[in-house]
Every structure is written in structure tokens, then in C-alpha cells.
Amino acid sequence: MKAILFDLDGTLHDSEKWYIKACCDCLEKARGKSLTDDEKNYLIGKPIMVILNEWFEGREQEVLELFFKCYEGIQSNIEPYKDVHQMLNILNRYGIRMGIVTSKYKKYVYEEMKSTNLDVFFDVVVTLDDCDYHKPHPAPINMALERLGVQPYDCIYIGDQPTDIQAAHRAGIKSGAALWGEGIFDQLITQKPSYIFEEPQDILDAFLKVEAGRHE
């Protein structure tokens, strides 16, 4: 394993709940009525433009600007999950190259990674602005692999949503289901991830076992 790619929201950053809150506030203002529970659940793991294209045809830009205002009002609440920094530090010491593949806008990705001190760990960051396609399409992962200069068989992609696992499989790389954040076991297991990680430490355990095996 030469490289690990991570999803950001709901995997490294405890931010999904704030994204959903901003989405709900924005969409309810734009529609003039509350969202149902099913509609709120539908937002999870989806880029905002997917929602706007489906729900607000012809008003996308107007509602997008409203979303930006709502999101920027809660952005400062975002923090990394417990033990994420420790995990990344150890992986970095072992020489593992790391990247981010996210469906979030570049502006917010870099702002948030800097504010949570995650920016120092990653060689590559692929955002919504960098690619014409988004997960579960493999293009963002393929772009990250190319920028890192690693082969698919040397890499794993770890995320908290079924679309993360689907994207990894379509890119021909191993997949890891992250359960310490927003990941739900019953949803992720149906996608047959290569690994299940209940805590960030589990990634280190898997990696260290591999390293030990190489020296036996």
C-alpha cells in the first residue's frame, strides 16, 4: 500500500451534520416549506448541485447563492473526528502518500482543512471544481491516482457513504468503509467494501499488519 485516498466530510471531518443543516435551511427558505424526513435523508452524501438540478430547475444559481450564505454561517463549527490527527500523523511517518477526493467546493475544502490542521498531510486534493464528474463515477479517484503517480493496486479509498465504495470499485482500487463518523454499516456492507474500519485506529492496525508481514 503506497497511498490512501480519503473522503472528507463524514470521514475525516465531523461536518456532514452542518452541511445537511445548511442544505435544509437553504432549501426550506427557497421552497417556503419544511422538508420531510425522507427529503432530509436524501440529501446525505449528495453534492448540492445534484439537489439543485433535481429540485430547482431554472433557479439553480439563485438557490446556490442562498446555500453559500447558509453554509458559511455554520462552517466554523467543523472539527476533525477523534483520533484522525493521530492516524494521519502515523501514516505520514510510515511514508504513506495521502489524498482527498471530495464532492465539496474547493474554496470550502481548503478553508476547512487549514482551520482543522489537516492540510499538511495531503499531497493531492480533488474537489467538485476539479472534475466534470462526481462520485460514484470513478473519474475523481482516477484523477487523484494520476496526480499521486500511483497504480490502482497500490491504493485504497476510504469513505463513509455507499457512493464512496462504488467509486472505489469502479476505479479498480480497494475500498474502506469508515464507520466512526456518518457511515452506516447496513448501508455500506451491501456495497461489499474491501475493509470495514470502525475506528481510525483500525486503519493503522491493518497497515501495521501488512508491514509486519513484509518482514517475516
Side-chain angles (χ1 to χ4, degrees), residues 133-149:
Y133 302 94
H134 57 81
K135 300 175 291 185
H137 198 283
I141 290 179
N142 290 335
M143 180 178 290
L145 291 173
E146 183 177 352
R147 291 181 179 179
L148 283 173

Side-chain angles (χ1 to χ4, degrees), residues 126-166:
V126 176
T127 72
L128 185 65
D129 306 86
D130 296 312
C131 192
D132 292 333
Y133 302 94
H134 57 81
K135 300 175 291 185
H137 198 283
I141 290 179
N142 290 335
M143 180 178 290
L145 291 173
E146 183 177 352
R147 291 181 179 179
L148 283 173
V150 299
Q151 297 299 317
Y153 51 76
D154 285 326
C155 189
I156 182 173
Y157 181 56
I158 299 172
D160 66 297
Q161 294 296 318
T163 51
D164 296 320
I165 308 304
Q166 293 164 10

